[in-house]
Structure formats: structure tokens, C-alpha cells
Amino acid sequence: MATVVERERKFSGDDGFRLPDLTGCGGVVTVSDATASDLDAVYWDTDDLRLLRSGHALRRRTGGHDAGWHLKVGTVGGARVEHQFPAGAADAGPPPELAALIRGASRGRPVAPAARVVNHRRERRLLDADGRVLAEVAEDDVRAEDLVDGVAQAWHEIEVELVDGDEDLLDAVAARLAGAGAREVPVSKSHRAVAGRLAGVGDGAPAGPAGPVFGYAREQRDAIVGNHAAAYQGDEDAVHDMRVAVRRLRATLRTFRGLWDRRESEAVRAELRWLGGELGRVRDIQVMAARLDTAVHDLPDELVLGPVPARIGERFAADLARSTTALRAALDADRYPDLLTRLDRLVEAPGGEVDRRWVDRRIRRAVRRADDRLDGALAVGGPAGDVALHEARKRYKAARYAVEVREPAVGGPAARLVKRLKKLQNLLGTHQDSVVTREVLRRQALQAYTEGENTFTYGVLHARQAEAAGHDLPAVVRARDRARRRKVRRWLRR
């Protein structure tokens, strides 16, 4: 299976639209002659169009240079990841490899043909002075049919996809096309093909004072689903982003727990904790491996005695393989789509009967609890103090996520508090990383000792981590004081 990242924009033109001369746009010197092809794609989805609603497009296409099964993840106008897989002569559905990647978006439900899109394409390449292809511009005469309700449509569309060009080139081409009468289209062909049915199942914007809470929760739910495919394949950024979304959801369901049925929201929080644990095992290994690799390479050569880099690499490679396999098994299990379905019911429900003051009180309470937990942690020393600081860090994460709920409406004041809470959270995280790293080094040294290897380097690394931890605490105190300044928190008391 091949995976590519595409950056493209789509435009619609009237029947009389003519493609303008695009030379001079962002370094374009030459426009190639048009190459024609006929493309025929059948898009697959659940009966309630969950894939499209989740920013996924699954199709089986014939014609063109990349015929086969395609799964696109992301929204039109931004970077979209496309997974490609060869098609069989008599496919009854998407191959298992792609089915695993849509499990989050489909909620584990079956998919079936939803729409057919046929288009006659005329494609041109935009080249710079050295003959590099900066972008490809395709003019499509599109005919689409909703395979469920039979509604047919036809339109003329222009696609501009970057190859070696940049966003400035896209902007320049977009401006030239707009000058010729084209209008940018924010949705894909598959969306347009089933627009009528999408309108019937669309997720309306949450309203009322609790609307920002529900909107924030939906964003995190969508982040879990949007990162599913890449996380399933072990992508580090996707695993991180998916884990953060899980954390944000767990914190939101707790901070604003009065908005949902208590028993159900706590049950969903427990399931989110399970999912976060599976993601966390992968992510923690990725982070620790990178941290120790950097630490070893920062040492002078004369302080690296024995096969330390190799032993560290071997250990984490094995651990990462095991944890990645376990994560895939979790995402393949029925428990995962069941969790998402229950989460849908919570975040898509109408907002609770509360006012804005109720929401703000919960935010203030989350911030105050974090403050209290940190003050108590700073009064404790030794290993117990490390544990308490870690708990304070988790409280500040919850506080920051609560403030983020109001950030779009409050603007700058909330954004400043988010920034300072994040700084404090990161410093506490650095301290916790040092604690965990020292324990990993201790175990690694014990293993090396039993195998008759030199343990000197592990001791040096351990000492450096301990020294770094000692520098963290004064910085934590300074960041705490900055996060508590009256001008940063004044808006919370309104």
C-alpha cells in the first residue's frame, strides 16, 4: 500500500469558463499541453455517510495513472493523506488493509457503494525554468450520481495540486483563476455527489451556553477519528495527536460532567482511559527512545563505554514493535468502534440546560484545583514529591483544556492563560521525563551488569538527568507565578 500527501484546491467554473494563462504564477514559466483521460470512481460509505462526515473518502477508481482503491483523509484545501491500494478484478469491497484504516470513521459498520463520479479530465503541468513540475492543473467535466437516491448532477471543476511547488504558488494560481471567474469549492466531488443526503444527516452546530463545550468535545472526537489511519500505521505524530485528543475528551467529560448522564459519561471516560493507555505505551516508547538517543550522542566519546547506543536501540525497537502490535489489536477490536459510537451519542446530544456562568464556574474550579495540587506538591520532597508533581501536571492539563473551551469566544486573554498554563505543564513534564528516564537507565544498567557489560555510561546519564531535574523546580515556580498574575486571569472572574 502506498501513502502520499496531496495539497490541492478545487474550483468551479461556469459552462463558458476558460482556463487562463498561468505563466508567471509563483515561478511558472511553462504550461504543458493537455493530456486527456477518463476516470470512473465509485465511492463507498456507511448508510449514514460517516466516512464523508469524518473527512474520509473511500473510492475504487478505474482510468488514469493511479487506478485502484484510494482512501483520502483530511479536508479539501488542506494537506490530505491518500492511501492507495491495487484493485482486484472482482473486488467485493475494499481490501482488508484499507478496511482497517476506516474502522474509526465507519464505527466498524459495513460500507457499500454510495456514489459514482465519472469525469473527463484534461490535465496540464506547470513547470519552472528548470523544467521542474511545480503543480498539475486538471479540468474535469464531471457527472455524478448518488447511488442510493438516484440524484444525478453535472458540473465543471478545476483542480490544482502541488507537486514541487509551495502554498504561495497555490495562492497565485487561485487568484488568477478567480480573476477568470472561477470560484473556490470547499468540498470534494464525493461530497457534491451526495449533498442532498449529507444535508439530511449533517451534524448541526451545538447551540446555547454549553455549545462551546460540545463543540470542543466534537473536535476531539474528530481528531481521534482523523488520526486513526496514520496511528494504526505507527506514525509518531498521529499517535501523539490521537492520544492528546483522548486526554482532552476525558478531561472535558470530567470538568463539565453535569452536561451528561453521569453513569454513561463515566463509562465512556473509562473506555477513553483504555484507549489512551494503548496509545500511551506506543508514544512513551517513541519519546523515551528519542530522548535517550539524544542524551547518548550528546556525551563526549570518551564517556561512552561499551555498546550503550546499540543496547538502548535494541531494547526500544523490541518494545515499540510489541506496543504497536498491541495498539493495532486494540483498534481492530469491537471495543474501539463501540467506544466511538457511545461517544457520538454524548457529543452530538443537545446541550444541557445551563448558563454561561455555570460553564465558567467549572473552568475556574479546574484552574483552582490545579493551583492547589501544585502548591501541595512543591511542599513535598523526594520520590513522593515527584509523584505529586506529576499529579499536578495532569491537573494543569485538565485546566488548560477547560480554558481552551472558552478561548474562541474570549480571545486574547484566554489565549494568554492557555499559553502560560502550557508552559507550566511542559516544565512539569520535563521534570517527570527526568524521573522516568532515570528509572529506565537504572534498569538498563542492571541488565548490562548481569550481562557483564560496562555500566559507567548509564551512571553518567543518570547523573545528568538528576542534575537537570534540579534545575526544573525553580523554573516551575517562576512559571507558576506568571500563570497566576491577575491580568492573565481577570477574565475568569467576569
Side-chain angles (χ1 to χ4, degrees):
M1 179 166 53
T3 301
V4 297
V5 177
E6 66 174 25
R7 292 174 295 163
E8 67 177 16
R9 294 188 194 175
K10 297 176 182 290
F11 303 84
S12 183
D14 297 329
D15 290 340
F17 176 82
R18 293 291 181 271
L19 190 70
D21 180 12
L22 297 176
T23 57
C25 292
V28 175
V29 173
T30 306
V31 178
S32 73
D33 293 334
T35 301
S37 59
D38 291 299
L39 310 175
D40 190 339
V42 173
Y43 287 83
W44 291 59
D45 212 324
T46 60
D47 57 4
D48 61 351
L49 301 173
R50 270 289 177 187
L51 296 190
L52 284 175
R53 291 161 60 192
S54 301
H56 292 57
L58 174 65
R59 72 188 179 198
R60 185 184 189 280
R61 189 166 78 179
T62 58
H65 61 86
D66 60 351
W69 286 96
H70 303 158
L71 171 64
K72 293 188 178 185
V73 181
T75 57
V76 172
R80 305 178 78 192
V81 178
E82 181 175 308
H83 307 274
Q84 302 173 347
F85 198 85
D91 288 337
E97 292 86 350
L98 281 184
L101 301 187
I102 64 169
R103 190 166 175 77
S106 70
R107 310 305 194 259
R109 297 170 60 183
V111 294
R116 184 184 182 193
V117 175
V118 179
N119 59 298
H120 179 68
R121 169 165 291 183
R122 298 177 301 283
E123 193 169 52
R124 296 173 173 85
R125 295 177 297 169
L126 308 184
L127 299 94
D128 67 6
D130 296 325
R132 287 189 310 144
V133 180
L134 301 179
E136 294 176 343
V137 178
E139 290 188 274
D140 292 333
D141 294 319
V142 184
R143 291 181 289 113
E145 179 187 3
D146 187 320
L147 296 178
V148 174
D149 64 18
V151 173
Q153 305 175 60
W155 66 86
H156 185 68
E157 185 171 292
I158 304 95
E159 285 187 7
V160 184
E161 181 175 351
L162 289 180
V163 180
D164 286 334
D166 55 22
E167 292 295 329
D168 289 339
L169 170 63
L170 270 182
D171 290 340
V173 173
R176 189 73 59 89
L177 292 174
R183 303 175 302 280
E184 189 156 1
V185 178
V187 296
S188 64
K189 292 181 178 68
S190 51
H191 272 78
R192 296 179 74 170
V194 296
R197 281 200 292 143
L198 275 174
V201 296
D203 306 319
V213 180
F214 281 84
Y216 185 81
R218 290 185 187 185
E219 288 175 7
Q220 309 318 315
R221 183 270 316 270
D222 294 344
I224 291 174
V225 174
N227 283 288
H228 166 93
Y232 188 89
Q233 297 174 311
D235 180 86
E236 293 189 10
D237 291 337
V239 171
H240 170 72
D241 292 346
M242 196 171 177
R243 183 190 191 188
V244 169
V246 168
R247 285 174 169 169
R248 284 187 164 119
L249 270 170
R250 291 190 68 235
T252 301
L253 291 174
R254 178 178 181 177
T255 300
F256 305 98
R257 58 176 43 156
L259 293 175
W260 297 280
D261 175 81
R262 181 70 170 269
R263 179 177 296 178
E264 179 63 9
S265 65
E266 287 302 304
V268 170
R269 285 189 73 243
E271 290 298 276
L272 286 168
R273 182 176 184 177
W274 159 75
L275 178 59
E278 298 293 337
L279 292 161
R281 275 186 282 277
V282 175
R283 183 58 183 161
D284 288 345
I285 292 169
Q286 292 170 340
V287 171
M288 185 58 64
R291 181 181 177 89
L292 283 180
D293 181 71
T294 298
V296 172
H297 283 88
D298 284 345
L299 289 176
D301 291 343
E302 61 270 19
L303 296 184
V304 181
L305 305 182
V308 176
R311 292 292 181 262
I312 289 175
E314 290 167 2
R315 175 204 168 147
F316 286 111
D319 288 350
L320 183 59
R322 283 191 295 269
S323 63
T324 301
T325 298
L327 174 60
R328 286 177 179 158
L331 297 179
D332 283 333
D334 290 341
R335 188 176 179 180
Y336 171 62
D338 288 349
L339 162 61
L340 292 176
T341 299
R342 296 175 75 176
L343 186 57
D344 290 337
R345 288 196 289 266
L346 288 181
V347 304
E348 293 173 6
E353 296 297 327
V354 299
D355 57 21
R356 199 195 78 184
R357 288 178 298 177
W358 183 92
V359 173
D360 288 349
R361 279 198 302 271
R362 267 62 189 172
I363 297 174
R364 288 196 298 271
R365 182 184 300 173
V367 175
R368 186 172 63 250
R369 284 177 173 172
D371 290 340
D372 292 344
R373 185 61 66 94
L374 179 59
D375 289 344
L378 289 172
V380 180
D386 292 334
V387 173
L389 286 170
H390 182 49
E391 291 301 315
R393 178 198 182 200
K394 291 193 285 187
R395 289 285 187 174
Y396 272 115
K397 284 182 180 180
R400 173 184 148 211
Y401 302 153
V403 174
E404 286 176 348
V405 167
R406 292 279 284 134
E407 185 177 353
V410 175
R416 282 190 291 274
L417 180 55
V418 167
K419 183 177 180 180
R420 296 194 182 185
L421 292 177
K422 185 175 182 180
K423 174 66 173 179
L424 183 54
Q425 169 198 319
N426 287 343
L427 286 169
L428 290 168
T430 299
H431 181 84
Q432 176 64 13
D433 288 344
S434 170
V435 172
V436 174
T437 303
R438 278 177 276 161
E439 177 59 19
V440 169
L441 287 167
R442 187 185 72 85
R443 293 179 181 178
Q444 197 73 20
L446 287 174
Q447 181 67 29
Y449 177 79
T450 61
E451 295 177 359
E453 295 177 355
N454 195 311
T455 62
F456 172 81
T457 300
Y458 298 111
V460 173
L461 292 171
H462 190 286
R464 288 196 170 193
Q465 291 296 320
E467 181 183 10
H471 295 314
D472 290 337
L473 293 183
V476 167
V477 172
R478 291 192 297 271
R480 176 201 63 182
D481 294 342
R482 283 177 52 79
R484 295 185 186 181
R485 289 179 181 174
R486 182 176 302 176
K487 66 178 182 179
V488 179
R489 297 193 179 188
R490 187 182 300 121
W491 66 273
L492 276 173
R493 303 183 180 92
R494 293 176 185 170

